Amino acid sequence: MKVDIKEYAPGSESAWCPGCGNFGILRSVNKALVGLGLHPHQVLLVSGIGQSGKMPHYTTANVFNGLHGRPMPAAIGAKMANRELNVLVISGDGDGYGEGGNHFMHAMNRNPDLTYLVHNNQVYGLTKGQVSPTTDAGVTSKLNPEGAFHALRPLAVAVACDCSFVARGFAGEIDHLAQLIEQGVRHKGFALIEVLQPCVSFNKKNTYEWYQDRVYKLGETKYDPTDSAAAFQKALEWGDRIPIGVIYKHEREIFEDYVGVSQQTPLVRQSIDPLAVEKLFEAFT
Ligand SMILES: Cc1ncc(C[n+]2csc(CCOP(=O)(O)OP(=O)(O)O)c2C)c(N)n1
Ligand code: SF4
């Protein structure tokens, strides 16, 4: 049955500030899921804590909202138990690159079949604008009057970790971002999609206009996303020109194949033997 975007219409009103870049990301996610022909029951959105972490609550897909910086282990567990689910992990730059930096690195290395959206607004939005790992050097906040020190370049980290799909979108380019999300979900393996997300309340530097003056689409240039050395250079490009599109992609073995769950009936479809469960409990009493 054809999917109607109304299926993803939220039942609750959002608590985001008017003009927040998260609205554009949510629209792109919904468009992509419709484009993929996926109904809400076929999708799981797993998030951490933050303004980004609220996003799953504004859709009708399955939701798991966990701890700050910790959506990844829950998402990997869900995918292992039910590989038929399309699992999207939703993070912020603080959640994913700061608190969750350890999970970020190991997930990319292991290559589970997940799509990872990082809403990069270059601040800790929910806690009122402290500097984050990606805040541009020199940018100040109330808690950091001396300014941020040096910005992490997570997409270069991703290429170095041999992440099998690395892309960047912009919340002001909804159709382009929706296309990237579709590609990320179709990709067999770990797909990182960082999204440049204006925070209209706390980031007065990286505004919609600031990005619009700088972003350019890699798909409109002669760029080969399968060349890892070129991808590393491209992932470091930031300043007067900022690339959006697919930066790096290649196929390699996924974690589910390696651990053998791809060859088994998904755990969620296996019947439970109450006697076996009882024996298991006995072992712990
Ligand atoms: C372990 C832990 N540390 C800190 C916090 C407080 N906290 C909640 S949200 C947040 C910042 C979120 O920033 P980011 O991940 O960039 O998301 P945004 O709100 O900008 O979307 C922090 C520090 C927490 N909830 N748990
Ligand atoms: S504080 Fe920033 S990130 Fe949070 S809802 Fe407002 S504009 Fe969006």
Side-chain angles (χ1 to χ4, degrees), residues 52 86 90 94 119 218:
S52 43
N86 293 276
I90 313 294
H119 301 205
L218 285 171

Side-chain angles (χ1 to χ4, degrees), residues 49-52 68 92-95 99 121 123-127:
I49 300 294
Q51 299 288 17
S52 43
H68 190 41
D93 41 310
D95 192 61
E99 299 257 357
N121 56 16
V123 288
Y124 286 90
L126 188 69
T127 44

Side-chain angles (χ1 to χ4, degrees), residues 166-242:
V166 181
R168 182 193 278 128
F170 169 41
E173 289 274 359
I174 290 168
D175 289 341
H176 179 261
L177 177 57
Q179 283 299 316
L180 287 180
I181 298 168
E182 275 199 49
Q183 286 183 61
V185 174
R186 283 206 175 93
H187 173 74
K188 197 175 177 208
F190 191 89
L192 167 67
I193 304 167
E194 170 174 279
V195 189
L196 303 172
Q197 179 235 319
C199 167
V200 295
S201 295
F202 295 113
N203 187 336
K204 302 295 182 189
K205 179 187 172 189
N206 311 103
T207 60
Y208 284 98
E209 296 72 28
W210 190 90
Y211 284 123
Q212 267 146 6
D213 286 347
R214 288 164 176 80
V215 294
Y216 72 95
K217 293 179 181 142
L218 285 171
E220 295 173 1
T221 67
K222 278 190 186 155
Y223 175 71
D224 173 11
T226 62
D227 177 344
S228 60
F232 190 73
Q233 289 303 319
K234 201 48 82 181
L236 290 171
E237 190 177 349
W238 186 269
D240 291 343
R241 279 168 63 75
I242 301 175

Side-chain angles (χ1 to χ4, degrees), residues 118-145:
V118 182
H119 301 205
N120 183 7
N121 56 16
Q122 297 176 250
V123 288
Y124 286 90
L126 188 69
T127 44
K128 305 210 179 300
Q130 299 89 349
V131 303
S132 83
T134 53
T135 307
D136 284 339
V139 169
T140 58
S141 79
K142 279 187 189 156
L143 273 187
N144 307 83

Side-chain angles (χ1 to χ4, degrees), residues 23-283:
F23 288 104
I25 305 179
L26 177 59
R27 275 186 62 195
S28 299
V29 168
N30 290 345
K31 274 191 137 191
L33 296 174
V34 171
L36 288 158
L38 295 172
H39 295 280
H41 73 273
Q42 296 171 293
V43 178
L44 170 66
L45 300 178
V46 182
S47 67
I49 300 294
Q51 299 288 17
S52 43
K54 293 176 185 171
M55 198 182 86
H57 299 286
Y58 307 142
T59 82
T60 50
N62 298 293
V63 174
F64 183 91
N65 191 179
L67 298 174
H68 190 41
R70 305 283 178 257
M72 197 60 76
I76 294 174
K79 188 72 187 180
M80 293 294 143
N82 185 4
R83 63 174 189 275
E84 291 164 8
L85 264 183
N86 293 276
V87 181
L88 281 79
V89 190
I90 313 294
S91 258
D93 41 310
D95 192 61
Y97 300 148
E99 299 257 357
N102 188 12
H103 299 299
F104 173 57
M105 195 172 71
H106 293 295
M108 290 188 294
N109 188 37
R110 287 185 179 141
N111 202 31
D113 191 12
L114 302 175
T115 308
Y116 190 30
L117 281 187
V118 182
H119 301 205
N120 183 7
N121 56 16
Q122 297 176 250
V123 288
Y124 286 90
L126 188 69
T127 44
K128 305 210 179 300
Q130 299 89 349
V131 303
S132 83
T134 53
T135 307
D136 284 339
V139 169
T140 58
S141 79
K142 279 187 189 156
L143 273 187
N144 307 83
E146 73 290 353
F149 178 50
H150 186 270
L152 185 74
R153 296 284 169 247
L155 302 191
V157 176
V159 176
C161 288
D162 202 25
C163 181
S164 60
F165 185 98
V166 181
R168 182 193 278 128
F170 169 41
E173 289 274 359
I174 290 168
D175 289 341
H176 179 261
L177 177 57
Q179 283 299 316
L180 287 180
I181 298 168
E182 275 199 49
Q183 286 183 61
V185 174
R186 283 206 175 93
H187 173 74
K188 197 175 177 208
F190 191 89
L192 167 67
I193 304 167
E194 170 174 279
V195 189
L196 303 172
Q197 179 235 319
C199 167
V200 295
S201 295
F202 295 113
N203 187 336
K204 302 295 182 189
K205 179 187 172 189
N206 311 103
T207 60
Y208 284 98
E209 296 72 28
W210 190 90
Y211 284 123
Q212 267 146 6
D213 286 347
R214 288 164 176 80
V215 294
Y216 72 95
K217 293 179 181 142
L218 285 171
E220 295 173 1
T221 67
K222 278 190 186 155
Y223 175 71
D224 173 11
T226 62
D227 177 344
S228 60
F232 190 73
Q233 289 303 319
K234 201 48 82 181
L236 290 171
E237 190 177 349
W238 186 269
D240 291 343
R241 279 168 63 75
I242 301 175
I244 56 173
V246 180
I247 290 179
Y248 186 47
K249 69 169 177 192
H250 67 296
E251 297 284 330
R252 66 178 170 93
E253 187 180 27
I254 62 168
F255 192 55
E256 296 88 314
D257 288 349
Y258 173 70
V259 296
V261 297
S262 305
Q263 295 80 34
Q264 297 163 7
T265 308
L267 196 58
V268 75
R269 295 207 183 282
Q270 290 178 29
S271 56
I272 297 167
D273 174 0
L275 290 178
V277 176
E278 218 165 89
K279 268 193 199 141
L280 208 58
F281 277 131
E282 275 165 18

